[in-house]
Amino acid sequence: MPTLNLHTNIPVDAVTTSDILKDATKALSKIIGKPESYVMVVLHGGVPIVFAGTEAPAAFAEVISIGGLGQSVNAKLSSTIADILQTKLSIDSSRFYIKFFDSPRSFFGFNGTTF
Protein backbone atom coordinates (compact mmCIF):
# COMPACT_ATOMS: atom_id res chain seq x y z
CA MET A 1 0.00 0.00 0.00
CA PRO A 2 2.81 2.46 -0.50
CA THR A 3 1.26 5.78 -1.49
CA LEU A 4 2.98 8.84 -2.92
CA ASN A 5 1.09 12.13 -2.78
CA LEU A 6 2.95 14.63 -4.93
CA HIS A 7 2.10 18.34 -5.17
CA THR A 8 3.82 20.81 -7.48
CA ASN A 9 3.21 24.36 -8.63
CA ILE A 10 4.10 23.32 -12.20
CA PRO A 11 1.09 22.60 -14.44
CA VAL A 12 1.45 19.10 -15.89
CA ASP A 13 0.07 17.87 -19.19
CA ALA A 14 -1.37 14.38 -19.73
CA VAL A 15 1.81 12.91 -21.23
CA THR A 16 4.08 14.25 -18.49
CA THR A 17 1.58 13.14 -15.83
CA SER A 18 1.51 9.61 -17.22
CA ASP A 19 5.32 9.44 -17.33
CA ILE A 20 5.65 10.67 -13.74
CA LEU A 21 2.98 8.26 -12.48
CA LYS A 22 4.65 5.28 -14.19
CA ASP A 23 8.19 6.22 -13.10
CA ALA A 24 7.16 6.92 -9.50
CA THR A 25 5.13 3.70 -9.26
CA LYS A 26 8.10 1.61 -10.41
CA ALA A 27 10.45 3.47 -8.06
CA LEU A 28 8.26 3.05 -4.97
CA SER A 29 7.69 -0.63 -5.70
CA LYS A 30 11.36 -1.39 -6.28
CA ILE A 31 12.83 0.69 -3.44
CA ILE A 32 10.26 -0.20 -0.76
CA GLY A 33 10.03 -3.80 -1.93
CA LYS A 34 6.25 -4.00 -2.37
CA PRO A 35 4.39 -5.14 -5.50
CA GLU A 36 3.28 -2.48 -7.98
CA SER A 37 -0.26 -3.82 -7.57
CA TYR A 38 -0.34 -2.16 -4.11
CA VAL A 39 1.33 1.15 -5.06
CA MET A 40 -0.71 4.34 -5.48
CA VAL A 41 0.69 7.60 -6.84
CA VAL A 42 -1.35 10.82 -6.82
CA LEU A 43 -0.07 13.87 -8.72
CA HIS A 44 -1.47 17.36 -8.17
CA GLY A 45 -0.07 19.87 -10.66
CA GLY A 46 -0.58 23.62 -10.75
CA VAL A 47 -0.98 23.85 -6.96
CA PRO A 48 -0.09 27.26 -5.47
CA ILE A 49 3.22 26.77 -3.59
CA VAL A 50 5.61 29.29 -2.12
CA PHE A 51 8.98 27.86 -1.08
CA ALA A 52 11.79 29.99 0.36
CA GLY A 53 9.73 33.09 -0.34
CA THR A 54 9.32 32.51 -4.09
CA GLU A 55 6.86 30.85 -6.43
CA ALA A 56 9.66 29.32 -8.51
CA PRO A 57 9.16 25.64 -9.44
CA ALA A 58 8.79 23.57 -6.26
CA ALA A 59 7.21 20.37 -4.96
CA PHE A 60 6.07 18.65 -1.77
CA ALA A 61 5.57 14.92 -1.41
CA GLU A 62 4.37 12.48 1.20
CA VAL A 63 5.22 8.78 1.17
CA ILE A 64 3.01 6.58 3.32
CA SER A 65 3.69 2.87 3.73
CA ILE A 66 2.97 0.01 6.07
CA GLY A 67 6.54 -1.00 6.73
CA GLY A 68 9.42 -0.82 4.28
CA LEU A 69 10.55 2.68 5.25
CA GLY A 70 13.72 3.55 7.11
CA GLN A 71 16.78 5.76 6.87
CA SER A 72 18.40 4.17 3.79
CA VAL A 73 15.11 3.53 1.96
CA ASN A 74 13.92 7.08 2.65
CA ALA A 75 17.19 8.53 1.34
CA LYS A 76 16.94 6.45 -1.83
CA LEU A 77 13.28 7.42 -2.34
CA SER A 78 14.09 11.11 -1.78
CA SER A 79 16.89 10.99 -4.34
CA THR A 80 14.89 9.02 -6.90
CA ILE A 81 11.76 11.18 -6.67
CA ALA A 82 13.91 14.32 -6.82
CA ASP A 83 15.50 12.94 -10.01
CA ILE A 84 12.06 12.31 -11.54
CA LEU A 85 10.98 15.87 -10.68
CA GLN A 86 14.20 17.33 -12.12
CA THR A 87 13.97 15.29 -15.32
CA LYS A 88 10.24 15.66 -15.99
CA LEU A 89 9.45 19.10 -14.51
CA SER A 90 12.82 20.87 -14.08
CA ILE A 91 12.30 21.19 -10.32
CA ASP A 92 15.63 21.52 -8.53
CA SER A 93 16.10 19.13 -5.61
CA SER A 94 16.73 22.13 -3.33
CA ARG A 95 13.08 23.14 -3.91
CA PHE A 96 11.53 19.84 -2.87
CA TYR A 97 10.46 18.52 0.53
CA ILE A 98 9.38 14.95 1.15
CA LYS A 99 7.72 13.57 4.27
CA PHE A 100 7.78 9.86 5.16
CA PHE A 101 5.19 8.13 7.29
CA ASP A 102 5.38 4.48 8.32
CA SER A 103 1.73 3.71 9.03
CA PRO A 104 0.38 1.10 11.43
CA ARG A 105 -1.60 -1.57 9.54
CA SER A 106 -4.88 -0.62 11.21
CA PHE A 107 -4.51 3.03 10.10
CA PHE A 108 -4.88 2.17 6.41
CA GLY A 109 -8.08 0.90 4.80
CA PHE A 110 -8.45 -1.17 1.64
CA ASN A 111 -11.21 -3.26 0.11
CA GLY A 112 -13.71 -2.40 2.83
CA THR A 113 -11.44 -3.23 5.76
CA THR A 114 -7.99 -2.41 7.12
CA PHE A 115 -4.68 -4.14 6.50
Side-chain angles (χ1 to χ4, degrees), residues 49-78:
I49 296 176
V50 172
F51 185 86
T54 75
E55 294 180 45
F60 172 74
E62 296 174 300
V63 174
I64 306 159
S65 184
I66 297 172
L69 298 177
Q71 188 173 357
S72 64
V73 168
N74 295 359
K76 190 177 277 191
L77 282 170
S78 185

Short mmCIF file of all heavy atoms in Angstrom, two decimals, residues 49-78:
data_model
loop_
_atom_site.label_atom_id
_atom_site.label_comp_id
_atom_site.label_asym_id
_atom_site.label_seq_id
_atom_site.Cartn_x
_atom_site.Cartn_y
_atom_site.Cartn_z
N ILE A 49 2.18 27.08 -4.58
CA ILE A 49 3.22 26.77 -3.59
C ILE A 49 4.21 27.92 -3.55
O ILE A 49 4.69 28.37 -4.59
CB ILE A 49 3.98 25.47 -3.95
CG1 ILE A 49 3.05 24.25 -3.93
CG2 ILE A 49 5.16 25.25 -3.00
CD1 ILE A 49 3.72 22.95 -4.37
N VAL A 50 4.52 28.35 -2.35
CA VAL A 50 5.61 29.29 -2.12
C VAL A 50 6.65 28.54 -1.31
O VAL A 50 6.34 27.94 -0.28
CB VAL A 50 5.15 30.55 -1.36
CG1 VAL A 50 6.34 31.40 -0.97
CG2 VAL A 50 4.18 31.35 -2.19
N PHE A 51 7.88 28.54 -1.77
CA PHE A 51 8.98 27.86 -1.08
C PHE A 51 10.14 28.83 -1.03
O PHE A 51 10.52 29.40 -2.05
CB PHE A 51 9.36 26.59 -1.85
CG PHE A 51 10.40 25.74 -1.17
CD1 PHE A 51 10.04 24.81 -0.22
CD2 PHE A 51 11.74 25.88 -1.47
CE1 PHE A 51 10.98 24.01 0.42
CE2 PHE A 51 12.70 25.09 -0.86
CZ PHE A 51 12.32 24.16 0.10
N ALA A 52 10.69 29.05 0.16
CA ALA A 52 11.79 29.99 0.36
C ALA A 52 11.44 31.39 -0.15
O ALA A 52 12.28 32.09 -0.69
CB ALA A 52 13.07 29.48 -0.29
N GLY A 53 10.16 31.75 0.00
CA GLY A 53 9.73 33.09 -0.34
C GLY A 53 9.47 33.35 -1.81
O GLY A 53 9.17 34.48 -2.19
N THR A 54 9.58 32.30 -2.66
CA THR A 54 9.32 32.51 -4.09
C THR A 54 8.35 31.46 -4.62
O THR A 54 8.18 30.39 -4.03
CB THR A 54 10.60 32.44 -4.94
OG1 THR A 54 11.00 31.08 -5.08
CG2 THR A 54 11.73 33.27 -4.33
N GLU A 55 7.75 31.78 -5.75
CA GLU A 55 6.86 30.85 -6.43
C GLU A 55 7.57 30.12 -7.57
O GLU A 55 6.92 29.57 -8.46
CB GLU A 55 5.63 31.59 -6.94
CG GLU A 55 4.77 32.13 -5.81
CD GLU A 55 3.54 32.88 -6.31
OE1 GLU A 55 2.86 32.37 -7.22
OE2 GLU A 55 3.27 33.97 -5.77
N ALA A 56 8.89 30.08 -7.52
CA ALA A 56 9.66 29.32 -8.51
C ALA A 56 9.26 27.84 -8.42
O ALA A 56 8.70 27.41 -7.41
CB ALA A 56 11.16 29.49 -8.25
N PRO A 57 9.55 27.06 -9.45
CA PRO A 57 9.16 25.64 -9.44
C PRO A 57 9.56 24.95 -8.14
O PRO A 57 10.70 25.05 -7.68
CB PRO A 57 9.91 25.06 -10.64
CG PRO A 57 9.99 26.20 -11.60
CD PRO A 57 10.22 27.41 -10.72
N ALA A 58 8.57 24.25 -7.54
CA ALA A 58 8.79 23.57 -6.26
C ALA A 58 7.83 22.39 -6.16
O ALA A 58 6.89 22.27 -6.94
CB ALA A 58 8.56 24.54 -5.10
N ALA A 59 8.08 21.52 -5.18
CA ALA A 59 7.21 20.37 -4.96
C ALA A 59 7.26 19.94 -3.50
O ALA A 59 8.23 20.19 -2.78
CB ALA A 59 7.63 19.20 -5.85
N PHE A 60 6.17 19.28 -3.09
CA PHE A 60 6.07 18.65 -1.77
C PHE A 60 5.49 17.27 -1.97
O PHE A 60 4.55 17.09 -2.74
CB PHE A 60 5.16 19.47 -0.84
CG PHE A 60 4.88 18.76 0.46
CD1 PHE A 60 5.87 18.67 1.43
CD2 PHE A 60 3.66 18.17 0.70
CE1 PHE A 60 5.62 18.00 2.63
CE2 PHE A 60 3.41 17.50 1.89
CZ PHE A 60 4.39 17.43 2.86
N ALA A 61 6.06 16.29 -1.28
CA ALA A 61 5.57 14.92 -1.41
C ALA A 61 5.44 14.28 -0.04
O ALA A 61 6.14 14.64 0.90
CB ALA A 61 6.52 14.09 -2.28
N GLU A 62 4.53 13.32 0.03
CA GLU A 62 4.37 12.48 1.20
C GLU A 62 4.41 11.03 0.74
O GLU A 62 3.73 10.68 -0.23
CB GLU A 62 3.02 12.72 1.88
CG GLU A 62 2.84 14.10 2.43
CD GLU A 62 1.44 14.31 2.96
OE1 GLU A 62 0.48 14.18 2.17
OE2 GLU A 62 1.31 14.60 4.17
N VAL A 63 5.19 10.22 1.42
CA VAL A 63 5.22 8.78 1.17
C VAL A 63 4.67 8.11 2.42
O VAL A 63 5.18 8.33 3.52
CB VAL A 63 6.64 8.26 0.86
CG1 VAL A 63 6.64 6.75 0.74
CG2 VAL A 63 7.17 8.89 -0.41
N ILE A 64 3.63 7.31 2.23
CA ILE A 64 3.01 6.58 3.32
C ILE A 64 3.14 5.09 2.99
O ILE A 64 2.84 4.68 1.87
CB ILE A 64 1.53 6.95 3.47
CG1 ILE A 64 1.36 8.47 3.60
CG2 ILE A 64 0.91 6.23 4.67
CD1 ILE A 64 -0.01 8.96 3.25
N SER A 65 3.56 4.31 3.96
CA SER A 65 3.69 2.87 3.73
C SER A 65 3.51 2.12 5.03
O SER A 65 3.81 2.64 6.10
CB SER A 65 5.06 2.55 3.13
OG SER A 65 5.17 1.18 2.82
N ILE A 66 3.00 0.91 4.92
CA ILE A 66 2.97 0.01 6.07
C ILE A 66 4.26 -0.79 6.00
O ILE A 66 4.40 -1.73 5.23
CB ILE A 66 1.75 -0.94 6.00
CG1 ILE A 66 0.45 -0.15 6.07
CG2 ILE A 66 1.82 -1.97 7.14
CD1 ILE A 66 -0.80 -0.98 5.83
N GLY A 67 5.24 -0.35 6.76
CA GLY A 67 6.54 -1.00 6.73
C GLY A 67 7.33 -0.62 5.48
O GLY A 67 6.83 0.04 4.57
N GLY A 68 8.57 -1.04 5.45
CA GLY A 68 9.42 -0.82 4.28
C GLY A 68 10.19 0.48 4.29
O GLY A 68 11.09 0.67 3.48
N LEU A 69 9.84 1.40 5.19
CA LEU A 69 10.55 2.68 5.25
C LEU A 69 11.63 2.63 6.32
O LEU A 69 11.57 1.83 7.24
CB LEU A 69 9.57 3.82 5.54
CG LEU A 69 8.48 4.05 4.51
CD1 LEU A 69 7.54 5.17 4.97
CD2 LEU A 69 9.05 4.37 3.15
N GLY A 70 12.61 3.47 6.17
CA GLY A 70 13.72 3.55 7.11
C GLY A 70 14.76 4.50 6.53
O GLY A 70 14.60 4.98 5.41
N GLN A 71 15.80 4.76 7.26
CA GLN A 71 16.78 5.76 6.87
C GLN A 71 17.33 5.57 5.45
O GLN A 71 17.32 6.48 4.64
CB GLN A 71 17.93 5.81 7.87
CG GLN A 71 18.89 6.96 7.63
CD GLN A 71 19.91 7.08 8.74
OE1 GLN A 71 19.89 6.36 9.73
NE2 GLN A 71 20.81 8.04 8.58
N SER A 72 17.80 4.38 5.12
CA SER A 72 18.40 4.17 3.79
C SER A 72 17.34 4.16 2.69
O SER A 72 17.57 4.71 1.60
CB SER A 72 19.24 2.89 3.76
OG SER A 72 18.44 1.76 3.97
N VAL A 73 16.20 3.54 2.95
CA VAL A 73 15.11 3.53 1.96
C VAL A 73 14.61 4.94 1.72
O VAL A 73 14.41 5.36 0.57
CB VAL A 73 13.96 2.59 2.42
CG1 VAL A 73 12.71 2.78 1.57
CG2 VAL A 73 14.41 1.14 2.38
N ASN A 74 14.41 5.71 2.79
CA ASN A 74 13.92 7.08 2.65
C ASN A 74 14.89 7.94 1.84
O ASN A 74 14.47 8.73 0.99
CB ASN A 74 13.69 7.71 4.02
CG ASN A 74 12.59 7.03 4.81
OD1 ASN A 74 11.96 6.08 4.34
ND2 ASN A 74 12.37 7.49 6.02
N ALA A 75 16.18 7.77 2.09
CA ALA A 75 17.19 8.53 1.34
C ALA A 75 17.14 8.17 -0.14
O ALA A 75 17.21 9.05 -1.01
CB ALA A 75 18.58 8.27 1.91
N LYS A 76 17.01 6.89 -0.43
CA LYS A 76 16.94 6.45 -1.83
C LYS A 76 15.67 6.95 -2.50
O LYS A 76 15.69 7.41 -3.65
CB LYS A 76 17.02 4.93 -1.91
CG LYS A 76 17.19 4.40 -3.32
CD LYS A 76 17.34 2.90 -3.35
CE LYS A 76 18.78 2.56 -3.06
NZ LYS A 76 19.10 1.15 -3.31
N LEU A 77 14.54 6.90 -1.79
CA LEU A 77 13.28 7.42 -2.34
C LEU A 77 13.39 8.92 -2.59
O LEU A 77 12.96 9.41 -3.65
CB LEU A 77 12.12 7.14 -1.39
CG LEU A 77 11.55 5.74 -1.39
CD1 LEU A 77 10.59 5.56 -0.22
CD2 LEU A 77 10.86 5.44 -2.71
N SER A 78 13.94 9.66 -1.64
CA SER A 78 14.09 11.11 -1.78
C SER A 78 14.91 11.44 -3.02
O SER A 78 14.54 12.30 -3.83
CB SER A 78 14.74 11.70 -0.53
OG SER A 78 14.79 13.09 -0.61
#
